[in-house]
């Protein structure tokens, strides 16, 4: 049981770190600000949550794991609102996304 | 929701938060936590800001099921966007479009817009609650069609039930 949980938590930490790495690569490779936001949202949802779940499995059910759950909920709520605010500020600043479908743009 | 249930729930949440931040089983600290949580909850009820909108515990059991589904969607679309990033000749074709929502309540619309932003590959850019319309930036055709199938909208409608906050 102990071995299983330690392997599971290590696996989750590795996969979460991989998502963080891919998000960082995407931040550099993507062409404009909106597509870069998509890359960043991988990091703050999948990356952060997998790392925190791995840590929860590692510590077991204690006060620390409840604190980690609160941190995860805070990251989820704050990051989605911050992404929306950033995107809206870009539109407000007349930064048009170079999208390909002009027919549904009106 | 009954106001006594709301009172108890808010008291319990505040006390849990107190206990999380202190983390010590000392009687004096726990008693202080009970007193302060009680005072804050009483004050909130006096101000009449303790209602179904500020503390939506009525939808909590359905919300947990929805969160599990949403987390699965987040992981799936993270893998999709990761593949897009790692493809060697980078070809992204972003889409910018409007989508109509069937939500009747403001809270349901809020949950819908936030869920869209949380899922990698789609960002809700401009929202309008009066027309129930969201302008969305999607990273590719697949994430756009996944959103236009309306599965998430239906799930949130089911989550809100017959509530109209």
């Amino acid at each position: 049981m102990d071995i299983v949980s330690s392997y599971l938590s290590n696996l989750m930490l590795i996969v979460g770190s991989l998502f963080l790495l891919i998000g960082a690569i995407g931040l550099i490779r993507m062409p404009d600000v909106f597509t870069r936001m998509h890359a960043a949202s991988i990091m703050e949802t999948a990356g952060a949550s997998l790392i925190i779940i791995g840590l929860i499995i590692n510590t077991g059910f204690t006060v620390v794991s409840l604190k980690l759950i609160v941190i995860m909920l805070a990251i989820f709520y704050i990051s989605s609102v911050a992404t929306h605010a950033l995107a809206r500020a870009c539109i407000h600043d007349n930064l048009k996304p170079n999208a390909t479908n002009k027919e549904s743009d009106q | 929701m009954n106001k006594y249930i709301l009172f108890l729930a808010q008291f319990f949440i505040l006390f849990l938060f107190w206990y999380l931040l202190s983390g010590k089983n000392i009687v004096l600290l726990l008693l202080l936590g009970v007193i302060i949580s009680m005072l804050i909850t009483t004050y909130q009820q006096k101000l009449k800001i303790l209602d179904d909108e500020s503390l939506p515990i009525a939808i909590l059991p359905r919300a947990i099921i929805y969160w599990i589904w949403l987390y699965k969607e987040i992981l799936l679309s993270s893998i999709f966007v990761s593949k897009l990033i790692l493809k060697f000749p980078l070809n992204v074709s972003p889409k910018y479009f409007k989508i109509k929502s069937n939500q009747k309540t403001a809270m349901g619309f809020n949950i819908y817009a936030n869920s869209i932003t949380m899922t990698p590959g789609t960002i809700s850019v401009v929202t309008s609650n009066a027309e129930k319309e969201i302008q969305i930036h999607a990273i590719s055709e697949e994430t756009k069609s996944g959103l236009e199938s309306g599965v998430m909208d239906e799930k949130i409608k089911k989550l809100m039930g017959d509530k109209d906050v």
Side-chain angles (χ1 to χ4, degrees), chain A residues 41-95:
Chain A
S41 77
I42 294 180
M43 300 205 293
E44 67 208 10
T45 54
S49 68
L50 279 175
I51 282 182
I52 288 176
I53 290 173
L55 291 175
I56 289 170
I57 294 171
N58 201 12
T59 54
F61 190 75
T62 54
V63 179
V64 178
S65 60
L66 280 175
K67 278 183 190 171
L68 284 169
I69 290 174
V70 171
I71 291 172
M72 185 161 88
L73 286 179
I75 289 176
F76 270 23
Y77 280 89
I78 293 169
S79 69
S80 66
V81 173
T83 308
H84 172 70
L86 185 60
R88 186 153 190 169
C90 289
I91 290 290
H92 192 73
D93 212 20
N94 287 325
L95 189 73

Side-chain angles (χ1 to χ4, degrees), chain A residues 19 22-23 25-27 29-32 34-35 37-39 41-42 45-47 49-50 53 63 66-67 70 72-73 76-77 79-81 83-84 87-88 91 97-101 103-106, chain B residues 16-17 19-23 67 71 74-75 77-79 81-90 92-98 114 117-127 135 137-139 144:
Chain A
F19 272 125
I22 291 169
I25 293 170
L27 268 181
R29 285 194 80 191
M30 286 292 171
D32 73 329
F34 288 97
T35 43
M37 264 184 243
H38 291 299
S41 77
I42 294 180
T45 54
S49 68
L50 279 175
I53 290 173
V63 179
L66 280 175
K67 278 183 190 171
V70 171
M72 185 161 88
L73 286 179
F76 270 23
Y77 280 89
S79 69
S80 66
V81 173
T83 308
H84 172 70
R88 186 153 190 169
I91 290 290
N98 52 352
T100 46
N101 54 337
E103 72 278 356
S104 63
D105 231 357
Q106 285 129 27
Chain B
L16 192 69
F17 192 62
Y19 182 69
L20 276 181
L21 293 190
S22 84
W67 284 340
Y71 192 65
I74 285 174
L75 286 186
S77 54
S78 290
I79 292 168
V81 180
S82 301
K83 277 183 195 159
L84 215 63
I85 288 171
L86 293 178
K87 217 170 262 176
F88 180 55
L90 186 72
V92 287
S93 53
K95 312 280 179 213
Y96 191 67
F97 58 101
K98 287 177 186 167
N114 269 322
T117 311
M118 236 187 257
T119 320
T122 45
I123 293 177
S124 55
V125 181
V126 180
T127 58
Q135 294 179 22
H137 187 275
I139 199 168
K144 181 188 173 192

Side-chain angles (χ1 to χ4, degrees), chain B residues 112-161:
Chain B
Y112 187 43
N114 269 322
S115 305
I116 288 171
T117 311
M118 236 187 257
T119 320
T122 45
I123 293 177
S124 55
V125 181
V126 180
T127 58
S128 148
N129 187 31
E131 297 155 25
K132 301 282 183 217
E133 199 176 69
I134 312 177
Q135 294 179 22
I136 288 167
H137 187 275
I139 199 168
S140 74
E141 188 62 47
E142 278 88 348
T143 53
K144 181 188 173 192
S145 57
L147 202 58
E148 278 172 343
S149 65
V151 181
M152 187 183 270
D153 205 14
E154 276 306 306
K155 290 248 179 198
I156 295 171
K157 233 180 154 182
K158 220 178 279 172
L159 157 76
M160 295 306 291

